[in-house]
Amino acid sequence: MKNPHARAVKGPMAASESSVNSRARAAVAALFLTNGALFANMAPRLPELKRELELDTAGYGLLVTAWPIGAILAGLAAGALVRRFGSALVAVFGTMATGAALLAAGSAPGVVWVVLAFALGGAMDSITDVGQNAHGLVVQRRYGRSILNSFHALWSVGAVIGGLMAAGAIQMNLALPVHLGISMVLFAAVALTALKFCLPRSAELAVIEPVAPPAPGTARAAAPAGSRGRMLLMMSALVLISVAGVMVEDAGNSWSTLYLGELGAPAALAASGFIALVGAQFIGRILGDGMVNRFGQRGMAQFGER
C-alpha cells in the first residue's frame, strides 16, 4: 500500500530522514505505552476504591462512567488544541495531566472528588489519545505504509505493564496515592523524553496538504446530495462499530477485577483478568499492520465486523 506522500530521496539526505523517522516512530510508541500504562495502574485497584468509598454495585457503575463522560466532553476540543499547539505537545501535556488526575482520584477524600478527578482524567486521556494518534498518522505518512497498529500494540504492552505494577503494589500493600504517584512521575518522565524525538511542528505541517482556496469570483462546488448521504452513512457505521468495540473493552477494564474478586480470587490475582484482556489486544494489534498492508483498510474493517 504505497503512500503517494512518502518522499523518494537518496543518499545522505535519505539516511538522515530515515533516522528522524525512526526516532519519531519510537517516540510515538513510547507515548502510546505511557497512555496504556497510566490507567492500567488504576484499573486493578478500582475494587479497592469501591470499598473505601463504601459504594454498592450501582454506585460503582456510575462512578466509572465519569471517565468516558469527561472524554466525550473534552474530545470536542482536542482537534483545536492539536491545530494550535501541535500533536506531540498536546499528547505529552495530556499524559502528564492524566497521571495527575489519577493521583488526585486515588488521594481524594470523598466520592464527589473522585468523580471530578475521573472526569478530568477522562478528558485529559481523550486529548492525549487524539494527539498521539495524530502524530502517529504523520509518522505513518512519512513511512508510506501502515504502522499505526504497532503503536496501539505498544499501548497494550503499556497496559500489561501497568496492570503488573498494580498487582505488585497490591501484593506489597502499597497505599494507592503512593503507587499512583510513582506511576505518574515515571510515565511523565518517559513522555517528556519522547517529546524530544517527536517530529517538529514544521515537519508535521509539511505532510498536511493545504486545501487550495477557490479562485476569486468562483464558487466552491457543492458536494452532490447522494455523496453527502453516503458519507453520513459511513460515518454513522464507523461510530457504531467504535461504540461496540469500546463497550467490550470498557467492560473488561472496569469490571473484570471486581468480578474475579467476587468469585473469590485474591486481590493481586484478580488483576490478571485485566492483564489477560490487554494481552490479547496486543496479539491482534501487532498483527494488524501486516494485514492492512496485505489486504487494505476496507478489507480488514469488513473482516473485523464479522
Side-chain angles (χ1 to χ4, degrees):
M1 192 174 65
K2 276 290 183 183
N3 191 316
H5 302 288
R7 289 173 288 179
V9 291
K10 298 179 180 180
M13 184 180 296
S16 175
E17 181 168 333
S18 176
S19 178
V20 169
N21 291 344
S22 296
R23 288 196 297 269
R25 182 176 182 176
V28 176
L31 290 175
F32 271 85
L33 185 143
T34 60
N35 185 242
L38 280 170
F39 183 76
N41 270 274
M42 170 64 90
R45 304 199 69 170
L46 287 173
E48 179 183 333
L49 201 60
K50 174 179 178 292
R51 289 192 302 272
E52 290 180 358
L53 297 173
E54 300 181 345
L55 297 173
D56 57 15
T57 303
Y60 172 78
L62 292 173
L63 172 67
V64 296
T65 61
W67 190 277
I69 288 172
I72 291 170
L73 295 176
L76 301 174
L81 291 172
V82 167
R83 288 191 294 272
R84 175 67 179 83
F85 299 106
S87 57
L89 190 61
V90 166
V92 172
F93 172 80
T95 295
M96 295 189 294
T98 301
L102 285 167
L103 176 59
S107 310
V111 65
V112 173
W113 293 106
V114 175
V115 168
L116 292 174
F118 270 17
L120 177 61
M124 295 300 100
D125 183 63
S126 71
I127 290 172
T128 302
D129 198 43
V130 171
Q132 66 190 14
N133 274 284
H135 207 77
L137 287 169
V138 172
V139 176
Q140 175 173 272
R141 180 171 287 193
R142 289 167 68 96
Y143 267 78
R145 55 185 170 84
S146 177
I147 60 171
L148 193 64
N149 285 292
S150 68
F151 296 139
H152 288 270
L154 265 293
W155 185 98
S156 297
V157 171
V160 170
I161 292 171
L164 291 172
M165 288 174 64
I170 293 169
Q171 188 65 33
M172 293 187 295
N173 293 318
L174 203 61
L176 191 56
V178 174
H179 166 209
L180 295 178
I182 293 170
S183 170
M184 179 190 71
V185 172
L186 172 63
F187 295 114
V190 173
L192 285 169
T193 302
L195 181 61
K196 296 170 57 178
F197 301 101
C198 287
L199 295 172
R201 184 77 170 122
S202 57
E204 186 176 348
L205 294 173
V207 301
I208 302 173
E209 290 184 338
V211 178
T218 63
R220 189 185 298 273
S227 176
R228 291 197 300 270
R230 285 193 296 272
M231 179 65 72
L232 180 61
L233 182 62
M234 181 181 69
M235 290 179 65
S236 299
L238 290 172
V239 168
L240 288 174
I241 293 168
S242 299
V243 168
V246 168
M247 287 178 66
V248 173
E249 182 176 352
D250 189 61
N253 289 346
S254 302
W255 294 92
S256 60
T257 304
L258 182 65
Y259 178 65
L260 288 172
E262 292 186 353
L263 291 178
L269 180 60
S272 63
F274 172 79
I275 295 169
L277 169 71
V278 293
Q281 283 181 332
F282 168 78
I283 296 172
R285 288 170 170 175
I286 201 65
L287 296 173
D289 287 321
M291 298 176 75
V292 168
N293 289 326
R294 174 66 179 84
F295 300 108
Q297 295 175 348
R298 178 179 294 183
M300 289 309 302
Q302 292 172 338
F303 172 76
E305 293 167 22
R306 294 187 174 93

